[in-house]
Amino acid sequence: MEVYLSLGSNVGDRLQTIISAIEELQKHPKIFDLKASRMYLTEPYGLAKQPDFINCAVRIETVLSARDILQEINIIEKDFGRRREIRWGARTLDIDILFFGNQVIQEPDLIIPHPQIHKRAFILQPLHELCPDLVHPVLHKTVRTLLENLTDNVTLSHR
């Protein structure tokens, strides 16, 4: 299954945290062919009084289920000190499942595709690098079109 993830960090050594999280994903025996976008420096979303984020998108192939991927990324986040205390607050590591093939999943703790993809430049720009022609299975628009239609004024700079 082709899966797209978003990674972000704005606490500590942000760049090294993202790199290390990607390495952890690569170590998993059921995750293959990982490809990452460039890293982007982005303004915080939600709570403005916090450090800027470093964000990227990752494409993987896996035989794991969406639920298994969620469990794996929750373990990685926890290993990097993630605490879920304040919504949209500062965090050592945030990993979200953006797409899981073309599946649509609506469960209390697992919504795929990620419900905010079309509103967030810090997700769409790195995702566009990896899959501009991927079609959102609910909105029926390509990542390219979603990015072009974005009204978010967040400034992104890549590294």
Side-chain angles (χ1 to χ4, degrees), residues 16-27:
Q16 187 56 54
T17 296
I18 298 293
I19 291 168
S20 296
I22 290 170
E23 289 170 352
E24 288 301 310
L25 289 166
Q26 287 176 314
K27 289 179 189 176

Side-chain angles (χ1 to χ4, degrees), residues 82-141:
R82 171 76 189 264
R83 293 190 199 124
R84 297 177 188 273
E85 296 171 342
I86 300 172
R87 185 171 187 178
W88 295 325
R91 60 205 84 157
T92 55
L93 180 63
D94 184 34
I95 306 175
D96 290 320
I97 303 171
L98 302 176
F99 294 107
F100 190 81
N102 62 357
Q103 292 187 22
V104 177
I105 301 171
Q106 296 283 329
E107 298 175 9
D109 62 339
L110 181 62
I111 299 173
I112 300 174
H114 189 286
Q116 301 298 316
I117 289 173
H118 62 289
K119 297 179 181 178
R120 297 181 176 170
F122 67 88
I123 291 176
L124 285 172
Q125 186 62 53
L127 191 58
H128 181 264
E129 273 187 52
L130 298 176
C131 59
D133 297 319
L134 182 69
V135 176
H136 191 295
V138 174
L139 301 176
H140 307 291
K141 295 180 180 178

Side-chain angles (χ1 to χ4, degrees), residues 50-65:
Q50 59 180 311
D52 287 345
F53 276 82
I54 292 184
N55 291 95
C56 76
V58 171
R59 178 203 171 275
I60 60 172
E61 288 285 337
T62 187
V63 294
L64 296 170
S65 69

